[in-house]
Amino acid sequence: MSLSDPVRSGRVPAPQLVVRSQPVTGVAKQLIDHLPAEGGLSWVRRGDGHIGWGVAARLDVAGGNRFQDAVLWWQQLVGAAVVRDEIGVPGSGLVCFGSFGFTDSDPAELVVPEVIVGRRGGTTWVTTISEASLAAPPDLVTHEASPVYDVTFSDGARSGTDWSSIVADAVQRITAGELEKVVLARDLIAIAEQPIDLRWPLRRLAESYPNCWTFSVDGLIGATPELLVRREKGLITSRVLAGTIRRTGDDAHDLALAASLARSSKDLEEHEFAVRSVADALKPHCKSMNVPETPFVLHLPNVMHLATDVAGVANNGASALGLAAALHPSAAVCGTPTPVARDLIGEIEGMERGRFSGPVGWMDAAGDGEWCIALRCGQADPDDARRIRLFAGAGIVAGSDPTAELAETNAKLVPMRDALGD
């Protein structure tokens, strides 16, 4: 089912889904190994998470009310569902996967799979979802992904030189006082000799970046380090990343670089804008909050980030998706002030982001779930299975150097390039 605006129009009621979650054994160490060749969904971190396939229900939506429409559609679906949940943990029972575009006009979707395989701690389960009756759990088999060969990379909307020039333009505007920060993105086109089996880069991402959230939703795949928001049993958390430095592979040198990152006035300024925007957006939904005064340095295999974990206790019933809507777009992917930065991105960035830098994640019937920012990711070309579009961005402030910012985006492209076999 695909609906453009089902809630307000009322033309199509939500289907009544029959859902059963039950324990299962024989689940592979890598959940991704159970994904079929087509239409797989993924949300895994440190071996836990969910994968799914098939479509029991789907919402495609765009426009300024896309988040509200999605929340209401989900509420309708939950209200009509018949659920038998023998697991009783966040992520069991009725679950949707979703991704949302950066702008109002970019695509967005929620997908309810027919089959979900989940793991949380030592508990593994399978959920079946259908419109008819309780479905028998499938036999869990593993599948071999096809390697990706002979990948070539080319500039996307802008060359590196052209992108550096728009960074210089943005710095001039910031210096002139038009705004404080803007996040500018660029894309890279990867073309393989044969159609790309998305499970191949997905598994490599999960193995190489276990501390990131490895996701696959409707051809958008990646391993993002940035948790936009998690809601679980009344606790709200968000991990803010802003300020980046590339790792060298020399541990002693990297420790020195981490110390310099933690002292960098340019990176600390960029980080402060991002933390402030998240805290301000979450404050109306929390009765108490903890916002650390100083960030820590998050070490990833390819880069290091300044990071702050913001936490709060919920004071209302806003779902994880409702909280993601309140947060998007944060200063970490847009800028400060947000309206000015968003307009500048539309004026000078020169490309359509699609679902890059938008929320991607999952939610269950209780409204608990996780939504991250779609970073370190690529979007498969629906018209050419050999092509995938890769993305990276950088936060620009008054002290930004265009050459250094270009190098930062190159570092952020490494996870997807390596996953494709470059």
Side-chain angles (χ1 to χ4, degrees):
M1 178 176 58
S2 179
L3 310 175
S4 61
D5 192 2
V7 178
R8 288 194 302 274
S9 68
R11 288 193 295 269
V12 182
Q16 184 179 57
L17 299 178
V18 182
V19 183
R20 184 181 183 186
S21 294
Q22 55 190 309
V24 68
T25 58
V27 176
K29 181 179 179 181
Q30 281 281 5
L31 292 174
I32 291 167
D33 289 347
H34 293 297
L35 287 176
E38 301 290 338
L41 298 149
S42 171
W43 188 264
V44 298
R45 182 175 186 252
R46 297 175 177 169
D48 283 3
H50 321 83
I51 55 107
W53 59 87
V55 179
R58 177 183 174 111
L59 170 71
D60 291 286
V61 67
N65 293 306
R66 65 195 188 283
F67 287 105
Q68 297 94 318
D69 289 345
V71 167
L72 291 172
W73 180 80
W74 182 243
Q75 290 173 344
Q76 283 188 337
L77 211 62
V78 168
V82 176
V83 180
R84 181 177 173 183
D85 184 359
E86 300 173 23
I87 308 300
V89 300
S92 62
L94 183 60
V95 167
C96 66
F97 294 72
S99 64
F100 289 76
F102 177 71
T103 70
D104 293 350
S105 59
D106 289 319
E109 59 275 311
L110 293 181
V111 181
V112 181
E114 293 177 325
V115 177
I116 299 170
V117 182
R119 178 188 287 126
R120 187 180 179 92
T123 302
T124 55
W125 68 90
V126 63
T127 300
T128 54
I129 305 172
S130 72
E131 283 195 55
S133 59
L134 282 175
D139 293 330
L140 293 183
V141 297
T142 57
H143 305 274
E144 290 289 334
S146 300
V148 180
Y149 295 113
D150 298 324
V151 180
T152 59
F153 298 90
S154 60
D155 290 329
R158 293 184 182 272
S159 68
T161 300
D162 289 343
W163 189 82
S164 295
S165 70
I166 71 166
V167 171
D169 180 17
V171 170
Q172 288 181 347
R173 298 188 187 215
I174 293 168
T175 303
E178 295 182 26
L179 70 168
E180 296 171 286
K181 173 188 173 181
V182 64
V183 179
L184 296 174
R186 54 186 286 254
D187 61 344
L188 196 68
I189 306 300
I191 305 176
E193 185 180 61
Q194 300 294 330
I196 297 171
D197 183 342
L198 295 180
R199 297 171 300 175
W200 179 263
L202 199 66
R203 194 183 199 284
R204 298 184 72 179
L205 288 169
E207 291 175 340
S208 300
Y209 298 88
N211 289 323
C212 294
W213 289 265
T214 301
F215 60 88
S216 174
V217 179
D218 200 24
L220 181 73
I221 70 167
T224 178
E226 188 150 4
L227 176 68
L228 183 63
V229 67
R230 175 192 294 119
R231 179 185 182 271
E232 185 172 322
K233 298 180 179 178
L235 180 63
I236 297 169
T237 54
S238 177
R239 171 163 287 183
V240 183
L241 305 182
T244 304
I245 196 165
R246 188 168 189 167
R247 298 191 68 165
T248 66
D250 181 309
D251 289 344
H253 191 197
D254 285 347
L255 284 174
L257 289 175
S260 69
L261 178 65
R263 296 190 302 266
S264 166
S265 58
K266 176 262 179 187
D267 291 292
L268 288 169
E269 179 186 22
E270 178 187 345
H271 190 80
E272 181 184 353
F273 290 140
V275 172
R276 188 172 66 202
S277 73
V278 167
D280 288 347
L282 288 180
K283 188 175 181 180
H285 302 283
C286 296
K287 57 186 176 184
S288 64
M289 291 185 67
N290 177 42
V291 184
E293 293 184 1
T294 58
F296 64 94
V297 177
L298 176 67
H299 294 250
L300 296 175
N302 60 317
V303 295
M304 294 176 285
H305 296 290
L306 291 179
T308 295
D309 288 337
V310 177
V313 177
N315 68 358
N316 57 35
S319 67
L321 182 55
L323 294 169
L327 286 164
H328 179 75
S330 74
V333 296
C334 185
T336 306
T338 299
V340 179
R342 187 166 48 211
D343 289 346
L344 183 58
I345 289 168
E347 178 187 344
I348 69 174
E349 192 171 71
M351 72 170 196
E352 293 183 2
R353 292 192 184 187
R355 288 177 288 155
F356 167 69
S357 70
V360 59
W362 66 274
M363 183 168 59
D364 66 16
D368 287 346
E370 294 176 312
W371 294 88
C372 285
I373 300 175
L375 305 173
R376 317 296 195 271
C377 63
Q379 173 64 56
D381 188 332
D383 300 317
D384 186 347
R386 299 175 304 117
R387 294 168 59 95
I388 186 168
R389 187 173 170 224
L390 314 183
F391 303 91
I396 311 304
V397 294
S400 293
D401 173 70
T403 301
E405 300 299 342
L406 180 63
E408 179 177 321
T409 62
N410 287 332
K412 290 174 177 177
L413 287 165
V414 165
M416 283 300 302
R417 289 185 65 132
D418 285 353
L420 289 167
D422 182 41

